[in-house]
Structures are given as C-alpha cells and as structure tokens.
Amino acid sequence: MACRSKLHHILLAIICAILLSYAGAYDPLDPNGNITMKWDVMSWTPDGYVAVVTMTNFQMYRHIMSPGWKVGWVWAKKEVIWSMVGAQAIEQGDCSKFKGNIPHCCKRNPTVVDLLPGVPYNQQIANCCKGGVVASWGQDPSSAVSSFQISVGLSGSSNKTVKLPKNITLTAPGGGYSCSQAKIVPSSIFMSPDGRRKTQALMTWNITCTYSQLVASQHPRCCVSMSSFYNSTITPCPACACGCQNKNTCIESAPTIQSAVTPTVDNPILKCTEHMCPIRVHWHVKTNYKEYWRVKMSIINFNYFVNYTQWTLVAQHPNLNNITQVFSFVYKPLVPYESMNDTGMFYGIKFFNDLIAEAGPDGNVQSEIILQKDAYTFTLKEGWAFPRKIYFNGEECMMPSPDQYPHLPNSAPAKLFPVSSRAALLAICLLVFW
C-alpha cells in the first residue's frame, strides 16, 4: 500500500509539472502564437541532402530583437554540415578526419546564427541576413520570417535513411523558448513565379517553439505606473517590481557607466529606481470630454546600453473596442476571441519612433489616444479608466495593486464634468428652483 501511495504521488507530481509547463507557455492574448521551424529537403546529395530551413514567427506581438536568434540541435547520427547559405555555425568543431574538402561544421551539436546585413550576394538566400532579428506577425508579417540553406552530409540520402535532428533549441535575447521534437509532416508545396506550376519538397519536418515568461525570467521586466487629471497623486510602480537582484549594480547617472561591467540583455545595467525595471509604462487619464476621453501613454527605458527596436506595447481595456484616434503610434486591434474586443497592440512608426533609445533624455516614446465613451459602461470610479493588463515586447508588466489606483475625490470638482454637462446641470437647477 505504501509503495502504491508513493507511486501515486510521483505520478501526480509529474502530471502537475507537465500542466504547469503548458500553462506557462500559453498566452491567453495570443493563444496561437508560436515560432515554427520548417526543414524542407530540396535535393539529395551522394551522402546527404540540401535543405532550406524557414523560421516563421506567428506570435502577434513578441519579436526577436538584436543580437538575434540562435538555433541548435543534436544530430541523430554522425552528420556534418558541408556548407551553409544565409547563416553560419558559430563553431567548426573537430574536422581533422577529413582530407581535402573540409566541412563547414563537424560538431555533433551545432549552433547556427543568422548572417549580418550586407554580406555578399552569393552568401544570401531569401529572408536571410538580418542579424537574427525577426519581427512579430502582428507588426510586420513580411519581416516575421528568417531562412537559411544547409547542406548535410553523412546522413543518408533518402526518406528512409535520413534521421531527424533531436533536442532542437531556440535562443533569443531574454530566453524563454522551448521547442518540440522534429515531426515529419506533408511535404511543402511551392508555386512557380508565373503561378502555372507546383513543385514540392522531397521531405519536410516541423519544429514548434513556444514562449513562457516563467521560463524566461523569475521576475517581470517591466512595470506600470498611473496618474489622472482628477487626482494629483501619481501611483508609482510597485517597489522592486522587477526584483532587486540588480540593486547593487545599478547606477545613478550616465557618466558613471564608464567603470561599469559590460552589460548584456539578460544582465542589464539599470538606472537606479525603486522599481528596478528596465521598462516603465505610464498610463495617464488626461481629459474627460462629453462623448470622448483621452489617455496619454509613455514608455520609459531605464536600461543603459540597450535600445529597443521594433518594440510593441499591448494593452487590455474594455474601451479599446472603440478607439477614435491614436497619435504618434500605430494601433492594431487584437481579437483572440470573437466574443471579446478589449485588446490592442501599439508600436512605433517606422523611422520615426520605432526605436526606444537607451536610458537618458531620449529614452522614451509617448502617444495619446482618444476613445469614444459607451454611456452604459464608462466611469471614472474604482479604477475603471486604467488598463487591466499591459505587455511590453510580449512580456506582461507588473501592475500596481488595485487599491493604489488614482481614485476620485470624495466630492468631485466641477472640472470633472464637461462644459455641456455643467450647462445641463445648471438648467435643471433653474427649472427646479424657478
């Protein structure tokens, strides 16, 4: 009985661990978001094959920023990489047993990176050579793809003798990706440029990689502060919202960074703050009109040496279903569920404010949005005017406690009401006391 009980507890623990891992990778605002890697075998060679590897980022608002992606795997047999186009292995490994023609990489567990922009044309392939930067699908589908060509040897040269690579990994700045095992799928179909002929890959397998914020970091990497026109109190980010592990290495101002340790994306040098977050998002309820209301959003970078390119901001609020105008940012509604339309994605205008510079005077971007009121739901009471969730670059930000939100004063001043509302109230009073 004791053995059966112990076995029961072990099985329960395993099931819970599996469920937690899936829950961590599931994003309710982007339920179908993933990065899919597809290997298409385009031709057989005497001792292997030539394949085109295509990585497509189907995540709506999570991109891969500089210094870009790294893809790794373990060969099932003793394969080597003879050559690559559009990417390169970061280590060649021990190729001493080869005479004459030396492989590009002989490691059993190679790691591959994208080439940088500007490489010679004979080293390029379509959708390559962007330094590993991949846009999100919701922001720019045409830039959400990255490809390279690989010539593999000592692998077998038929569908029956080829063995799929194992233990695939995808590494990106900030981490957080877990990949499935390779799975053979129906061969990809290709259309000729004139659209009159179809060809297909000789063999295709897929790998699906999903993101989990729990895997990426123990703490959030952004936080939210709030303010309003009807309350002079500013609600700051919670203290140590992003953990205080960097408290001893933070710096007060830019001139002192000369003596600091060279930072990385995962080990940043931050400006000293109470919240210790690389990014703070501020939501300010600015104005209340008769039929509309206005919000100002600001994104502030506290990270020295790190510029955020192709950044995205996702907000969840019930009134985002009726946005009238957005200034300075590009807006795109996200509708993961047909019954809900309360989520929107904001990102910068290309060549204008699609880059948030490092901490300092220029390390921020701002925008204002005008929303049309719904007479049945709009209120300034109980924090309704503030967002339910904020994501920056696909990571959920730490929100203040609801009881800390700016609240209406006990007796609301007249300026809370639009001019037309005050006129209407005055007319009613005159009728009553006439």
Side-chain angles (χ1 to χ4, degrees):
M1 288 294 290
C3 291
R4 290 181 62 186
S5 177
K6 187 174 181 180
L7 180 61
H8 174 77
H9 286 299
I10 292 172
L11 289 173
L12 188 62
I14 293 172
I15 292 171
C16 288
I18 294 172
L19 290 175
L20 283 172
S21 66
Y22 277 105
Y26 177 75
D27 185 348
L29 299 186
D30 189 15
N32 300 314
N34 67 71
I35 293 180
T36 299
M37 279 186 273
K38 181 177 65 171
W39 290 54
D40 290 312
V41 176
M42 306 304 293
S43 62
W44 301 113
T45 61
D47 69 337
Y49 58 89
V50 175
V52 173
V53 181
T54 304
M55 185 188 313
T56 306
N57 183 10
F58 290 111
Q59 298 175 112
M60 292 301 293
Y61 48 79
R62 185 177 296 110
H63 70 294
I64 297 178
M65 62 184 291
S66 180
W69 54 261
K70 292 181 180 179
V71 174
W73 62 84
V74 176
W75 291 119
K77 298 192 286 186
K78 296 182 179 180
E79 293 92 334
V80 296
I81 301 174
W82 282 116
S83 62
M84 299 189 74
V85 180
Q88 63 184 3
I90 61 174
E91 292 183 59
Q92 184 183 34
D94 182 7
C95 297
S96 58
K97 68 179 182 179
F98 291 89
K99 309 297 181 182
N101 191 15
I102 306 299
H104 175 78
C105 176
C106 299
K107 288 183 68 68
R108 189 164 185 267
N109 56 336
T111 299
V112 170
V113 296
D114 194 13
L115 296 182
L116 297 174
V119 298
Y121 288 112
N122 63 351
Q123 298 179 29
Q124 296 185 30
I125 189 175
N127 298 313
C128 83
C129 313
K130 297 178 285 188
V133 175
V134 184
S136 63
W137 189 262
Q139 188 172 4
D140 185 3
S142 65
S143 299
V145 182
S146 187
S147 300
F148 60 88
Q149 179 179 292
I150 182 170
S151 177
V152 181
L154 307 184
S155 64
S157 54
S158 72
N159 298 51
K160 294 182 178 180
T161 56
V162 165
K163 298 293 183 182
L164 309 189
K166 303 182 295 184
N167 302 337
I168 295 91
T169 59
L170 171 62
T171 306
Y177 286 97
S178 302
C179 298
S180 68
Q181 292 298 323
K183 179 182 179 181
I184 296 175
V185 296
S187 296
S188 299
I189 304 295
F190 306 100
M191 187 70 70
S192 63
D194 60 6
R196 302 173 64 188
R197 172 176 164 80
K198 291 181 181 179
T199 58
Q200 69 178 54
L202 304 178
M203 185 178 183
T204 299
W205 59 83
N206 277 2
I207 302 103
T208 302
C209 302
T210 54
Y211 177 86
S212 168
Q213 190 165 337
L214 296 176
V215 173
S217 177
Q218 183 180 356
H219 304 284
R221 292 190 176 125
C222 55
C223 65
V224 180
S225 58
M226 302 172 176
S227 61
S228 66
F229 70 92
Y230 55 78
N231 193 317
S232 60
T233 302
I234 297 177
T235 301
C237 288
C240 289
C242 298
C244 280
Q245 66 275 12
N246 295 315
K247 198 77 172 178
N248 295 329
T249 59
C250 70
I251 53 181
E252 295 290 345
S253 58
T256 62
I257 60 178
Q258 300 299 327
S259 60
V261 178
T262 303
T264 64
V265 173
D266 298 308
N267 186 27
I269 299 258
L270 302 179
K271 181 178 177 64
C272 292
T273 59
E274 287 295 319
H275 52 75
M276 290 304 298
C277 290
I279 290 289
R280 175 169 68 90
V281 179
H282 187 75
W283 181 284
H284 175 66
V285 180
K286 187 174 182 179
T287 315
N288 182 25
Y289 305 111
K290 179 182 178 181
E291 296 180 355
Y292 302 91
W293 59 296
R294 192 179 189 113
V295 170
K296 181 177 181 179
M297 296 186 300
S298 305
I299 307 172
I300 304 98
N301 185 6
F302 294 94
N303 203 337
Y304 288 107
F305 301 107
V306 175
N307 298 328
Y308 290 91
T309 58
Q310 297 183 336
W311 57 267
T312 60
L313 177 74
V314 172
Q316 188 177 31
H317 188 282
N319 210 163
L320 287 178
N321 62 353
N322 210 350
I323 281 189
T324 301
Q325 191 169 2
V326 178
F327 302 89
S328 303
F329 289 174
V330 180
Y331 169 73
K332 182 175 183 177
L334 298 176
V335 189
Y337 311 101
E338 292 183 3
S339 59
M340 298 176 66
N341 182 16
D342 63 351
T343 306
M345 177 174 70
F346 302 86
Y347 53 93
I349 300 171
K350 198 167 186 178
F351 306 124
F352 175 59
N353 59 357
D354 60 339
L355 181 145
I356 305 177
E358 64 175 318
D362 300 322
N364 67 89
V365 291
Q366 301 176 0
S367 176
E368 295 189 7
I369 59 176
I370 297 177
L371 306 99
Q372 187 171 6
K373 294 180 181 178
D374 183 332
Y376 296 100
T377 59
F378 177 82
T379 180
L380 294 176
K381 296 180 180 179
E382 299 176 351
W384 184 91
F386 297 99
R388 308 310 185 250
K389 288 184 178 181
I390 292 286
Y391 288 68
F392 179 77
N393 277 357
E395 297 198 32
E396 186 173 353
C397 302
M398 173 69 77
M399 303 284 291
S401 173
D403 60 354
Q404 300 295 319
Y405 288 13
H407 56 81
L408 284 169
N410 292 332
S411 56
K415 68 178 181 180
L416 279 179
F417 301 98
V419 175
S420 57
S421 299
R422 297 203 302 271
L425 288 172
L426 180 60
I428 292 171
C429 291
L430 289 173
L431 286 172
V432 170
F433 293 103
W434 184 253

